[in-house]
Amino acid sequence: MSDAILAAIDEVVLKIDDPLQRLSTGCLLYMHIGVDLPNWGAFVMRTGFRSQAVGKLVDVYMPRDLESARKAGELDYSSRRAARDLMFASVNQAVLTVIAGDAPREHLRQILALGLRGVGATPALAKAMSQLELPAVQLPDLGLDCAGR
């Protein structure tokens, strides 16, 4: 299911030329979908580090956009794997925190800004990326209603 959602997100973000904007939009969409479908989001985020529940496409799309943004001079990190792990962990934990009711939805954008700073974006650029308007995504039919059941 996660790969199906990631593929739907990637279809939208591939229309964006700027790699950091593509990465940021993809992370924001994934987090918002995880919160909008809380049962799915909680399951995927809690099992993602221990199983293939998070899907394999996260290791295609996120590194692709991280590396493109680094080559474009928008990010500065020494290890693509470390950058991927930082962003992945931040995205996962942000979803769990919001689903649990421990933070408002704005927390997703705050985490994105901090994660981007962690992989070398300037504070101004990280803030701008965290405030992007989100495009619509046509999600695949996963047999889930809007409450994630």
Side-chain angles (χ1 to χ4, degrees):
M1 283 194 286
S2 185
D3 278 349
I5 288 177
L6 285 167
I9 291 171
D10 200 51
E11 185 177 322
V12 171
V13 301
L14 280 176
K15 297 173 185 170
I16 301 170
D17 291 330
D18 178 76
L20 186 57
Q21 186 176 349
R22 193 168 50 239
L23 172 71
S24 300
T25 300
C27 287
L28 285 169
L29 285 169
Y30 195 75
M31 287 188 288
H32 281 275
I33 292 166
V35 169
D36 290 341
L37 300 173
N39 291 341
W40 173 82
F43 172 75
V44 169
M45 302 312 153
R46 287 192 179 112
T47 61
F49 289 104
R50 295 183 304 275
S51 73
Q52 292 301 316
V54 78
K56 296 181 182 190
L57 291 180
V58 72
D59 285 318
V60 173
Y61 302 147
M62 188 178 284
R64 174 198 67 204
D65 294 337
L66 281 164
E67 188 62 17
S68 294
R70 187 188 64 76
K71 287 180 180 176
E74 297 176 305
L75 298 178
D76 181 25
Y77 56 83
S78 58
S79 163
R80 183 174 60 194
R81 182 61 189 204
R84 177 260 186 221
D85 286 354
L86 176 71
M87 293 302 297
F88 183 70
S90 298
V91 163
N92 280 358
Q93 188 57 51
V95 171
L96 292 173
T97 297
V98 174
I99 289 172
D102 294 333
R105 186 178 281 264
E106 182 60 25
H107 183 70
L108 303 175
R109 292 181 179 273
Q110 293 166 346
I111 287 295
L112 177 67
L114 287 172
L116 291 174
R117 288 184 65 193
V119 294
T122 65
L125 186 55
K127 182 178 180 181
M129 292 296 108
S130 73
Q131 298 306 312
L132 291 170
E133 299 254 348
L134 296 180
V137 174
Q138 181 64 44
L139 293 178
D141 181 11
L142 301 174
L144 302 169
D145 64 25
C146 62
R149 295 182 290 256

